Every structure is written in C-alpha cells, then in structure tokens.
Amino acid sequence: MTSVVPPPAPGRELSNPPSDGISNLRFSNHSDHLLVSSWDKSVRLYDASANVLRGEFMHGGPVLDCCFHDDSSGFSAGADNTVRRLVFSSNKEDILGRHDAPVRCVEYSYAAGQLITGSWDKTLKCWDPRGASGQERTLVGTYPQPERVYSLSLVGNHLVVATAGRHVNVYDLRNMSQPEQRRESSLKYQTRCVRCYPNGTGYALSSVEGRVAMEFFDLSEPSQAKKYAFKCHRKSEAGRDIVYPVNAIAFHPIYGTFATGGCDGFVNVWDGNNKKRLYQYSKYPSSIAALSFSRDGRLLAVASSYTFEEGPKHHEPDAIYVRSVNEIEVKPKPKVYPNPQA
C-alpha cells in the first residue's frame, strides 16, 4: 500500500493577527522579528520564531507600508499622510514628516543612512532620521515623480520607483537630483510591485494582469537582450483564462530565486536565471497580499489577506503564516547537459 503524503501545511499561523487587510510585512535584517502594517491602523512587531506579539502601534488611519531601521526601531507610511518612526523598546512613536497625500511606500537605505518615502502626492522624499524631531531638520529632499508612487525597492545605491501610468524611475542615491534612467514598464497593465535583485543587476516588476517582467539596469545590448517577461497566477476555466494580480515579490537572500504571491491565493517560487518554476505552495485561504524571507532564508512570511480586487465581499479572516523553507523549494536546479557523443 502506498502512503499518501499530505500536502505541506501552509506554515504556522501567527496569533494576534491584524483585524483588517495586511498592507505589508517584513523580516528584520538582524533577527526573526517581523513588522506588519495593516488597514486596521496598526503596525505590529512579532517574534516570528516564538509566535509572540512584541509590540503594537496605532496610527490615525490605515498604514500602507512599514520597514525596519534596526532591530529596535522602524518606520511606517500612513494613509493620514504621515511618516512615523516607531521605537519598539518604549512603544513610542513620533512623526518624522508628512506628504500631501497618503504615503504608500517606505524604504530605509543602509547605504545612505536615509529613509525614502513615496506618496500618492506624486513625490519621493528622503529623510535623515538622525535629525531631531521636526520635519525641517529631517527632510533631505523632495523629488517630483511622473505619477502616484505605487512601489519602491532598493539595492546598494540603486533605487527603483514604480508609479501609476506604468512609469519606472531608477535613481542613484548618491545623486538624487534627477533619475539615472526614466523607463516605462514592459508590461501593459498597472504595476503592483517592484523588487531589486539581491545581486544589484536589475529588478523584477509585477502587474495586475498575472505577469512578471525581469529587467536589467545595464543598458548595453547584451544586458538588455537578457530581459524577459512571463505569465503566472492565472488558470483556465471552461476555455477562459482567469488572470490574477501579482501583489508580492520576495527574493531569497541566499539563492537569488524569488517567490511571487497573487490574488489566486498561491505562492510560487521561481528561478529567474533558468526561467523555471521551482515550487508551488498549496493554496492559501485568501489573496497573497505580501511576502518576506527572513535574513537567512530559513523562513517565509506569507500574508493571506483579501486585497479587495473584487470589491467588498465575504472573505476569509486576514492571517499571517510563517513557513519553514526547505532548500529543495528555493535552490536553483543546475541545467543538466547531455554528454557529448564520443
């Protein structure tokens, strides 16, 4: 009799999840701490390994993004137009500064020692969090964008800004006066997420129409010849293609492979270099709103949270799953070449 291997569990569900949509989650660069922002106006700090809620910060409106500064503090982006600094040990927060519309994205650059925020007011702002409180002392610069900012990503001194209207601006953080490159998305539909390759050579960009584009910074012909896009997070039903938004991209810090999460409730793992899907995790209860690998790639945090792509409707409760990552799921499989004929 053959034993039936049950599908792997979705991972350990964290207790005390947010009570409304999860906008983002991120692992710390120093520990298994996980920072989670939500439409329920909270930012929560979890110890993902111990499954303990370590802290909670309530804001004046929905929180659209969050990131760590170090293991003891972080930052948040608010729909109330504020950029906040959160100090975990004292459970205190202060307002670092403001935009003129909701703040959609926040990224901390270790290279520049600055916080970068992107807003629906069509600007990017850089802040020096070491400055005293008060935005005159902390604001480094304001940089107009062609449209509302939807997603930001950093690698080294490269900053990639994806906006409405399918614009993509690439900056060098050492000279923010103008973009190093002004690009247009290779995909025909609205951008959902942009994430830089860990090796610093380019970025992956996903759209609402079940596709991911793999792009390269180097504008030389050989580099640009390597770019491609692929379809994902879609299914055929009764001869019709059903296509889902790809909300999240997360790169594995060791192997450079990456996970995507879609409104179909699936998480797929891809080997971008070999153009292969390595793994598909069993379906989650709701849309995948956000993904993050831990600093050593041992854990993957998954936000299973309805993103209102079909408007208000009954949906499963918002949940965060932390799964242990097996090497077989994320390690590239080397190409096997046939032995040459003697």
Side-chain angles (χ1 to χ4, degrees):
M1 182 180 136
T2 57
S3 62
V4 177
V5 179
R12 194 178 60 226
E13 192 173 343
L14 291 186
S15 45
N16 300 303
S19 58
D20 201 348
I22 296 164
S23 54
N24 203 8
L25 47 71
R26 303 211 203 200
F27 272 109
S28 164
N29 282 343
H30 307 282
S31 69
D32 288 343
H33 285 170
L34 186 71
L35 203 59
V36 180
S37 54
S38 167
W39 284 80
D40 72 0
K41 307 181 184 178
S42 77
V43 174
R44 292 162 195 246
L45 176 71
Y46 297 90
D47 181 331
S49 298
N51 195 357
V52 174
L53 179 64
R54 292 255 183 247
E56 187 175 7
F57 298 84
M58 294 308 295
H59 292 44
V63 191
L64 304 183
D65 199 6
C66 61
C67 70
F68 280 95
H69 179 201
D70 49 33
D71 225 24
S72 58
S73 63
F75 301 103
S76 64
D80 62 357
N81 307 358
T82 62
V83 179
R84 295 172 191 250
R85 176 188 3 220
L86 318 169
V87 182
F88 306 142
S89 54
S90 60
N91 253 359
K92 288 209 172 93
E93 55 173 280
D94 63 346
I95 292 178
L96 200 63
R98 285 182 169 82
H99 278 266
D100 296 329
V103 191
R104 177 63 187 87
C105 313
V106 58
E107 290 282 342
Y108 181 71
S109 165
Y110 291 91
Q114 289 180 10
L115 184 71
I116 296 117
T117 56
S119 165
W120 292 341
D121 68 5
K122 305 182 186 178
T123 70
L124 200 62
K125 292 192 179 198
C126 292
W127 313 85
D128 183 350
R130 293 162 297 197
S133 294
Q135 92 180 42
E136 309 72 43
R137 292 188 286 273
T138 55
L139 183 63
V140 177
T142 302
Y143 310 100
Q145 298 304 302
E147 249 291 1
R148 289 153 293 160
V149 177
Y150 283 167
S151 190
L152 289 182
S153 188
L154 281 171
V155 62
N157 284 305
H158 276 118
L159 167 67
V160 181
V161 186
T163 74
R166 300 173 42 253
H167 300 281
V168 179
N169 279 345
V170 180
Y171 285 89
D172 182 330
L173 285 173
R174 294 162 297 190
N175 176 18
M176 290 291 295
S177 56
Q178 59 181 15
E180 204 172 40
Q181 298 174 19
R182 287 184 173 87
R183 296 186 173 198
E184 188 176 81
S185 166
S186 305
L187 306 179
K188 287 185 201 151
Y189 293 88
Q190 180 184 310
T191 303
R192 286 296 285 150
C193 182
V194 65
R195 290 290 176 264
C196 292
Y197 306 155
N199 67 7
T201 59
Y203 58 90
L205 180 145
S206 69
S207 81
V208 297
E209 191 257 341
R211 278 178 211 261
V212 173
M214 308 299 287
E215 304 280 352
F216 295 88
F217 294 131
D218 181 354
L219 295 173
S220 70
E221 261 182 59
S223 279
Q224 289 304 305
K226 291 191 292 188
K227 75 179 205 173
Y228 67 97
F230 63 95
K231 296 176 182 178
C232 50
H233 300 281
R234 35 182 79 207
K235 68 178 179 188
S236 280
E237 224 169 61
R240 285 178 60 229
D241 233 9
I242 299 174
V243 180
Y244 297 91
V246 184
N247 298 320
I249 303 170
F251 279 89
H252 191 275
I254 312 298
Y255 294 120
T257 51
F258 61 98
T260 58
C263 288
D264 55 353
F266 283 107
V267 176
N268 293 315
V269 183
W270 309 89
D271 175 353
N273 292 334
N274 293 314
K275 302 186 181 180
K276 275 199 178 92
R277 185 167 76 179
L278 294 174
Y279 207 80
Q280 181 176 67
Y281 294 115
S282 44
K283 191 174 180 180
Y284 283 86
S286 195
S287 308
I288 307 302
L291 295 169
S292 181
F293 282 105
S294 60
R295 69 201 188 287
D296 52 13
R298 281 185 310 105
L299 301 174
L300 174 63
V302 179
S304 170
S305 177
Y306 180 51
T307 57
F308 286 79
E309 65 277 5
E310 294 174 2
K313 67 171 192 179
H314 174 74
H315 55 89
E316 294 296 321
D318 302 288
I320 300 160
Y321 295 92
V322 176
R323 57 182 316 137
S324 295
V325 176
N326 190 323
E327 200 172 69
I328 197 166
E329 300 159 3
V330 292
K331 190 174 182 178
K333 294 180 175 65
K335 284 183 177 168
V336 179
Y337 294 101
N339 289 328
Q341 296 297 313

